[in-house]
């Protein structure tokens, strides 16, 4: 009996598991680990188990869910160093940044552990004497997510935190290039007492296949995606079939604007933080710089001086500011964009050097024009094209001239201008005299083709809850 049981179990496992996926360190090409892949049936089984587990999870008092999330937060913090080393090894960012991402990622678990206890409904003053009206909030059910490689921890915790706090169960498919961090944090969740079927990480035969299952399986009620606008659009179309709720955190083309009344040294500091974090591979990073004519030369000189001090290398080594980019195709795309700008008349402020492997020397490009090919593209690399402007009106038109609307930044000390520009920029987030805007307490998200929905803040929880209206009659 035992043998039969075991062999049938083996058959099921064989049917559900594909060849494992090898994970490679982009800094040196070494294989650093393997993770399991599931077949289509394996993923469907995970979804069915998630549905069963969700009922028990949602039935727990919010306080208990909150305590488990708090414990998960603490375990992530206690394991910060190990997680940061895994993260740098599979993603490439310098260790200091990886440590920062662990803390930033964990902050969403802590924030939503607190918010779990505050998912208040409301009582509505009734227009009739014999009725009472209230709303309650309920979890949407089984939620799933697809996340990118550039923030392998934070992009998951921003979604898993609110989903679990709301009482949803949660399944994530991380990027195939960076799955180790995902498996590591999910293991810590288990240790924190979060059931293995409440929070799962899966990889399938292909990202397309997982995307199709997530967006068409009837059990799944919510899909949250972070990645490119192209893939977000495919997933939204697929989700339309049974009207699934979606949240979309998509691409960006952030303008970074320096007005003539700005503190130039502060603007350079903000530009460095915004542009070169994660080797320029962030959705909110400054993609194009607009600098007023009268301060253009001073800004470009100071900016380039700061850039020349950046050290490129293996993120595990001390003193490195920029690690490798994620892949050969990413490097080729970035190089193509640089060449294209130069072909059209832009020039590097300092001489450039081709680096081996997946490393790219950071570069400031001057004399870029707004109408050059490439200004509309997400560069996703350590390249800073700097464009001149002469009037606020012209500037606003250029800054808004994009399909994207995620983050934007500007530097000015004129309060009248600050309000006018902040209101005119068609972006979900505006940094004013500030190059880094992300925080677990503030709503992160975009407008236009940068997406739908908000992550973090009190708004983040609503993405995983339905409002139910209760009407008490005959009173
Ligand atoms: P991507 O190609 O869209 O990939 C993102 C995720 O989608 C990955 O897990 C990927 O799997 C998966 N995927 C790819 N094709 C798919 C398909 N047809 N169906 C279902 N899933 C699919 O984006 P990326 O190039 O990796 O990431 C960079 C992009 O993400 C940039 O545009 C950036 O701006 C955006 N981003 C946005 C935010 C935000 O909060 N707004 C944050 C970070 C990044 P594999 O990786 O396994 O192939």
């Amino acid at each position: 009996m035992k043998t039969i049981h075991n062999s049938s179990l083996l058959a099921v496992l064989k049917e559900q598991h594909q060849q494992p996926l090898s994970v490679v360190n982009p800094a040196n090409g070494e294989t650093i680990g393997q993770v399991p892949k599931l077949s289509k049936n394996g993923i469907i089984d995970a979804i069915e188990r998630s549905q069963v587990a969700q009922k028990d999870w949602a039935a727990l008092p919010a306080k208990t869910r909150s305590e488990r999330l708090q414990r998960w937060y603490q375990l992530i913090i206690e394991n910060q160093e190990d997680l940061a080393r895994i993260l740098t090894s599979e993603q490439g960012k310098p260790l200091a940044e990886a440590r920062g991402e662990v803390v930033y990622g964990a902050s969403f678990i802590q924030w939503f552990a607190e918010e779990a206890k505050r998912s208040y409904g409301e009582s509505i003053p009734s227009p009739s004497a014999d009725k009472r009206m209230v709303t309650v909030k309920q979890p949407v059910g089984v939620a799933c997510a697809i996340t990118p490689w550039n923030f392998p921890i934070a992009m998951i915790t921003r979604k898993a935190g609110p989903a679990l706090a709301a009482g949803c169960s949660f399944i994530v498919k991380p990027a195939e290039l960076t799955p180790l961090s995902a498996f590591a944090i999910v293991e810590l969740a288990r240790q924190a007492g979060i059931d293995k079927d409440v929070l799962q990480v899966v990889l399938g035969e292909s990202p397309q296949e997982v995307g199709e299952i997530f967006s068409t399986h009837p059990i799944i009620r919510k899909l949250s995606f972070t990645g490119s606008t192209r893939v977000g659009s495919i997933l939204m179309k697929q989700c339309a079939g049974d009207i699934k709720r979606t949240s979309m955190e998509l691409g960006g083309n952030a303008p970074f604007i320096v007005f003539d009344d700005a503190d130039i040294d502060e603007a350079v500091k903000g530009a460095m933080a915004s542009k070169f974090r994660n080797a320029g591979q962030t959705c909110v990073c400054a993609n194009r710089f607009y600098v007023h004519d009268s301060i253009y030369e001073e800004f470009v000189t100071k900016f380039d001086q700061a850039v020349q001090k950046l050290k490129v290398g293996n993120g595990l080594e001390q003193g490195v500011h920029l690690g490798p980019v994620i892949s050969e195709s990413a490097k080729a795309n970035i190089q193509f964009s640089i060449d294209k700008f130069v072909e059209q008349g832009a020039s590097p402020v300092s001489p450039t050097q081709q680096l081996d492997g997946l490393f790219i020397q950071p570069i400031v490009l001057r004399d870029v024009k707004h109408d050059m090919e490439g200004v509309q593209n997400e560069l996703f690399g350590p390249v800073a094209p700097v464009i001149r402007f002469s009037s606020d009106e012209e500037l606003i038109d250029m800054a808004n001239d994009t399909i994207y609307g995620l983050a934007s930044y500007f530097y000015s000390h004129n309060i009248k201008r600050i309000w006018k520009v902040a209101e005119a920029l068609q972006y979900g987030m505006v940094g004013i005299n500030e190059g880094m805007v992300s925080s677990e307490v503030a709503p992160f998200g975009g407008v236009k083709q940068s997406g739908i929905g908000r992550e973090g803040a009190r708004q983040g929880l609503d993405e995983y809850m339905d409002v139910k209206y209760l009407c008490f009659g005959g009173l």
Side-chain angles (χ1 to χ4, degrees):
M1 185 66 191
K2 203 171 172 212
T3 327
I4 294 168
H5 178 75
N6 277 347
S7 62
S8 64
L9 183 67
L10 276 180
V12 171
L13 284 176
K14 211 166 156 196
E15 194 202 331
Q16 291 189 351
H17 286 269
Q18 302 289 300
Q19 283 299 312
L21 175 77
S22 293
V23 185
V24 169
N25 183 339
N28 53 24
E30 279 172 15
T31 299
I32 51 173
Q34 287 194 321
V35 288
K37 283 183 126 184
L38 293 176
S39 66
K40 188 172 179 180
N41 283 342
I43 293 173
I44 291 172
D45 180 58
I47 293 170
E48 287 168 355
R49 283 187 283 109
S50 189
Q51 185 183 33
V52 175
Q54 192 263 331
K55 294 196 169 51
D56 290 342
W57 179 250
L60 291 174
K63 188 164 188 266
T64 308
R65 288 201 301 273
S66 171
E67 283 161 0
R68 298 210 188 149
L69 287 169
Q70 285 285 6
R71 180 74 194 122
W72 186 22
Y73 161 76
Q74 279 156 8
L75 285 172
I76 294 176
I77 295 295
E78 282 165 26
N79 288 278
Q80 181 191 15
E81 195 56 28
D82 283 353
L83 289 170
R85 284 181 182 275
I86 293 170
L87 209 168
T88 293
S89 302
E90 67 175 350
Q91 201 275 337
K93 67 180 62 175
L95 203 46
E97 278 189 31
R99 289 186 186 116
E101 182 179 339
V102 174
V103 174
Y104 174 61
S107 72
F108 288 95
I109 306 296
Q110 185 187 40
W111 170 264
F112 286 108
E114 290 156 358
E115 289 296 286
K117 297 179 282 187
R118 293 174 200 133
S119 58
Y120 305 121
E122 58 187 356
S123 90
I124 303 163
S126 169
S128 350
D130 64 343
K131 283 184 182 161
R132 295 294 179 272
M133 299 168 171
V134 295
T135 65
V136 292
K137 286 187 184 170
Q138 293 185 314
V140 297
V142 178
C144 64
I146 298 177
T147 54
W149 48 264
N150 60 347
F151 288 90
I153 291 181
M155 295 303 106
I156 295 177
T157 54
R158 283 211 299 205
K159 302 175 190 301
L164 297 185
C168 297
S169 54
F170 186 79
I171 308 173
V172 60
K173 189 218 79 83
E176 291 194 351
L177 291 168
T178 58
L180 295 176
S181 301
F183 279 92
I185 57 168
V186 167
E187 169 53 30
L188 293 176
R190 304 238 156 102
Q191 292 177 20
I194 295 168
D195 185 90
K196 66 177 177 34
D197 293 336
V198 168
L199 174 64
Q200 301 182 66
V201 51
V202 299
L203 288 160
E205 215 158 295
S206 69
Q208 288 78 2
E209 185 182 89
V210 182
E212 246 179 75
I213 300 171
F214 278 4
S215 46
T216 55
H217 198 289
I219 287 179
I220 289 175
R221 292 311 319 146
K222 161 92 194 187
L223 171 64
S224 178
F225 173 72
T226 297
S228 62
T229 296
R230 183 187 70 80
V231 174
S233 163
I234 294 173
L235 292 170
M236 277 184 83
K237 283 187 196 118
Q238 290 174 180
C239 283
D242 62 356
I243 323 287
K244 276 193 212 318
R245 281 181 67 161
T246 58
S247 296
M248 294 283 151
E249 295 287 350
L250 308 176
N253 181 4
F256 188 106
I257 301 153
V258 190
F259 286 99
D260 51 1
D261 59 276
D263 177 327
I264 295 181
D265 294 331
E266 281 299 310
V268 168
K269 220 165 99 192
M272 294 300 292
S274 170
K275 177 72 245 185
F276 295 105
R277 199 161 52 106
N278 204 7
Q281 304 170 108
T282 81
C283 53
V284 289
C285 79
N287 201 49
R288 47 200 172 114
F289 292 78
Y290 294 90
V291 180
H292 191 269
D293 242 346
S294 62
I295 52 160
Y296 187 87
E297 294 303 332
E298 186 183 350
F299 177 84
V300 162
T301 306
K302 287 184 167 171
F303 189 25
D304 191 61
Q305 278 166 357
V307 170
Q308 294 309 313
K309 292 189 189 131
L310 294 175
K311 186 177 165 197
V312 181
N314 185 329
L316 291 174
E317 286 166 16
Q318 275 249 307
V320 163
H321 301 104
L322 264 80
V325 295
I326 192 69
S327 63
E328 275 174 28
S329 62
K331 181 170 176 173
N333 282 340
I334 296 162
Q335 194 54 53
F336 179 81
S337 299
I338 297 171
D339 295 346
K340 201 83 202 152
F341 277 126
V342 172
E343 233 177 78
Q344 296 171 91
S347 51
V349 179
S350 292
T352 55
Q353 206 192 334
Q354 293 290 336
L355 304 179
D356 289 339
L358 297 182
F359 298 100
I360 297 189
Q361 193 194 358
I363 175 171
V364 178
L365 288 170
R366 58 168 301 140
D367 303 324
V368 178
K369 303 263 180 343
H370 175 75
D371 57 5
M372 281 182 181
E373 199 185 324
V375 168
Q376 297 295 340
N377 300 341
E378 205 178 5
L379 294 168
F380 240 58
V383 188
V386 192
I387 301 163
R388 287 172 189 271
F389 75 90
S390 48
S391 79
D392 288 20
E393 291 69 30
E394 168 206 32
L395 177 272
I396 293 293
D397 286 347
M398 291 193 293
N400 288 336
D401 178 26
T402 168
I403 58 166
Y404 297 110
L406 192 60
S408 56
Y409 309 87
F410 69 91
Y411 279 68
S412 167
H413 279 124
N414 176 334
I415 189 70
K416 192 169 161 193
R417 172 181 271 156
I418 286 176
W419 270 107
K420 278 180 96 165
V421 174
E423 286 175 358
L425 286 171
Q426 296 163 358
Y427 290 84
M429 295 172 283
V430 185
I432 302 158
N433 298 318
E434 177 56 59
M436 301 247 282
V437 294
S438 307
S439 162
E440 78 279 15
V441 306
F444 186 106
V447 299
K448 293 160 80 177
Q449 292 190 31
S450 287
I452 297 173
R454 292 294 178 269
E455 292 189 326
R458 69 184 160 76
Q459 289 87 347
L461 194 61
D462 289 338
E463 301 282 328
Y464 295 89
M465 302 203 92
D466 288 322
V467 173
K468 187 180 276 180
Y469 156 52
L470 309 179
C471 180
F472 298 79
L475 299 176

